[in-house]
Amino acid sequence: MFKYENILQTISMIEQQKLDIRTITMGISLTDCADGNGERAREKIYEKIVRKAEHLVETGRLIEREYGIPIIHKRISVTPVSIVAGASDDKDYVAFARTLDRAAAQVGVNFIGGFSALVHKGYTKGDEVLIRSIPQALAETETVCSSVNVGSTKTGINMDAVKQMGRVISETARLTAKKDSIGCAKLVVFANAVEDNPFMAGAFHGVGEPDCVINVGVSGPGVVKRALEECKGAPFDVVAETIKKTAFQVTRVGQLVASEASRRLKVPFGIVDLSLAPTPAVGDSIARILEEMGLEACGAPGTTAALALLNDAVKKGGVMASSHVGGLSGAFIPVSEDEGMIQAAKTGALSLEKLEAMTCVCSVGLDMIAIPGDTSSQTISGIIADEAAIGVINNKTTAVRLIPAVGKKVGDEVNFGGLLGSAPIMSVNAFGCGAFIERGGRIPAPIHSMRN
Amino acid sequence: MKAVITVLGRDKIGIIYHVTKVLAENKVNVLDISQTILQDYFTMVMIVDIKESSLKFEQLQQKLDETASQMDLSIRIQHQEIFDSMHRL
């Protein structure tokens, strides 16, 4: 028998420290839905998603009840639609997005990811059509998430795609201007995108994945923060050990839920993603963990080192707790989705440049950052290029999810509600990069034998 | 199949009686009980065996929810594995 204090500790983690399973994401391959006739392809896509995910939400709910652990989201990721839709002669893939939206509504998931294209080396016809369709697709649908991979360590950075994505983000912001440009919250530009990420908005089901798979993303910033409160003033060795132990416990719950979901749904278990994912709720913040280590505010000197330690210790603790670890696995720093980050951005402690530095040592990137609506597409492309370069050179995933909020300027605020949260508009370096972005072409893949 | 029941709330007469009544009526066997009172706050942890239970897990949970609201308590029942996985290698 275990000790009663262990039982009470678990319950307090769930009740007071907001330990939860952030998402059970079912990955579904759509490669067998490709068809020369777009209409027919969409029928196959709808039918397959609804068939595979029919019991996903109910199973998640039952596991939640029986184990007493909240499972916040049940979601679906699919094969990048550019690959599937590319077989058709359609000149626009918005209809494919609507089909995904309809299927998601039918099975009751709150997001479906995979309106995506992988163009790190170049475009296929399907990629071209898909990327052009992104703004309209995100404006017309509720649950569809889109991502585009523009660079990788093996291939370098596709600067034509970087240039285009700046425009796509601006256009998406414009088309969803009435809702604080929320379309951009569902659009991620990646470098080194992973194929088994369960977290939105960047989830898609990679081509190396099986037909159907269950991936689970854990959470638990509140639990780590609480554990660190017990070691005030202690050296970093103690801090790192404490985070490792806590991450181990959090991940074990993720592993349990993943195996149980996999067993009940008769779908193979893929991975547990060890990410610490914050929410806008008080007590569920990554920024507050960093501050607990001794920083006056997130963004102060020392923040990058604190985040590096946190990110590494979470992985070390989590790896042993799960049979298969994957996805993004690290600490997320989405500004609008983290109460402490929001505060830090409001008080001016946290700048875009500091966030960029922080992305060098954690997953994933410049995430959920609201910038002035009049920021030029070229400047957005410049930010994407910088972030992609960090990922490509350092052999890690990086991403950009910026919201150029139409009609808003520095000091204003955007409010998306729910888990997407709210964010102050952050200032962007006003110097231009137009001529740099207009060059186009590809930045070659980096050499990695001389790592200085 | 084992489950863990935790009961938390202000101390009053009959808490154990009302909780175990639901369990006995539904063929749930109590294996172990630990109970303390901290500053008028009643805390009980029970390990129970539910394999003979006539009810599905969720139905049993509903019965306990009813008792919880009648007695103004918090009663939770969870599969034991969640505690196993977090606290044991």
Side-chain angles (χ1 to χ4, degrees), chain A residues 4 9-10 61 66 252, chain B residues 32 58 61 79 85 87-88:
Chain A
Y4 289 106
Q9 185 200 15
T10 296
R61 195 190 66 81
E66 292 177 22
R252 288 281 279 199
Chain B
D32 197 3
E58 209 173 0
Q61 206 160 35
H79 278 310
S85 66
H87 300 286
R88 279 182 180 173

Side-chain angles (χ1 to χ4, degrees), chain A residues 1-2 4 6-7 9-11 13 15 19 61-62 65-69 248-249 252-253 256, chain B residues 4 6 32 34 43 45 47 57-58 61 76 78-89:
Chain A
M1 279 306 141
F2 21 56
Y4 289 106
N6 289 344
I7 293 178
Q9 185 200 15
T10 296
I11 287 172
M13 281 180 173
E15 290 285 300
L19 170 64
R61 195 190 66 81
L62 281 176
R65 290 278 292 189
E66 292 177 22
Y67 290 90
I69 176 90
F248 177 83
Q249 291 184 311
R252 288 281 279 199
V253 181
L256 173 69
Chain B
V4 175
T6 41
D32 197 3
S34 159
T43 308
V45 179
I47 316 286
F57 195 91
E58 209 173 0
Q61 206 160 35
R76 204 181 312 277
Q78 293 160 273
H79 278 310
Q80 184 187 270
E81 288 110 304
I82 186 161
F83 304 101
D84 275 342
S85 66
M86 276 181 94
H87 300 286
R88 279 182 180 173
L89 272 183

Side-chain angles (χ1 to χ4, degrees), chain A residues 15-32:
Chain A
E15 290 285 300
Q16 277 130 38
Q17 298 153 33
K18 302 190 169 58
L19 170 64
D20 57 48
I21 298 298
R22 185 48 47 83
T23 180
I24 299 183
T25 303
M26 178 182 270
I28 304 173
S29 167
L30 298 181
T31 46
D32 53 356

